[in-house]
Amino acid sequence: MPGQFALHYAAIAAAVAAPILFLIVWFVLPRARRWTGRLAALAALPYLAGVWAFLVEPEMLEVRHVEVRSAQWSDTPLRIGVITDTHVGGPMMPVERMNAVVARMNAEKPDMVVLLGDYVSSHEPAELRSHPERVTALQGIASF
């Protein structure tokens, strides 16, 4: 877990440092503007994708309502909730946030909830995790 939090903080640092470094090179080394501009143009898309993947998307909670009709189903509509990829215990999903996700799902009043996997962060077996990591994972799973 400490490594995962380090990656999260490194992503934040890189997201802030990259534009600052670009501006420093741009203004301090006028001769470097040609290659700096090309490098910035080349790096812009992966940079923005990284900012999205590490800093924006993990903070989103998406709720979609999809209606599926079937000629074979004539009973009352069935409300199915889906929770996936929670990665509890990682830098993006502390126990408190997991509790909020479950509360949001419960507010939808589904007839059933399907949990589709990736419940806890990392792929290490429980016996290889530190005690605090195991406790955090179990607390997050208890939210379900």
Side-chain angles (χ1 to χ4, degrees), residues 8 28-29 53 74 78 87 95 99-100 110 112 115 136:
H8 181 69
V28 174
L29 302 171
S74 60
L78 184 64
H87 299 277
V95 174
N99 290 333
M112 82 170 76
L115 306 175
T136 300

Side-chain angles (χ1 to χ4, degrees), residues 1 4 85-90 117-124 129 133-134 136-141 144:
M1 303 278 204
Q4 291 173 337
D85 295 309
T86 55
H87 299 277
V88 173
D118 287 343
Y119 307 121
V120 296
S121 66
S122 143
H123 296 286
E124 288 181 327
R129 296 173 187 247
E133 290 172 342
R134 285 193 305 272
T136 300
L138 290 173
Q139 287 173 339
I141 295 299
F144 293 128

Side-chain angles (χ1 to χ4, degrees), residues 83 86 88-89 93-106 113 115 119 135-144:
I83 297 178
T86 55
V88 173
M93 187 60 79
V95 174
E96 298 78 25
R97 183 157 187 243
M98 188 66 241
N99 290 333
V101 168
V102 171
R104 179 67 176 94
M105 177 60 77
N106 289 339
V113 176
L115 306 175
Y119 307 121
V135 168
T136 300
L138 290 173
Q139 287 173 339
I141 295 299
S143 300
F144 293 128

Side-chain angles (χ1 to χ4, degrees), residues 7 10 12 15 20 40 46 57-58 74 81 98 106 111 117 121:
L7 180 62
I12 293 171
I20 292 171
E57 193 270 338
S74 60
M98 188 66 241
N106 289 339
D111 296 310
S121 66

Side-chain angles (χ1 to χ4, degrees), residues 29-51:
L29 302 171
R31 291 170 148 185
R33 286 187 180 167
R34 174 178 278 164
W35 66 264
T36 306
R38 290 178 182 163
L39 182 62
L42 185 65
L45 189 57
Y47 170 79
L48 293 173
V51 167

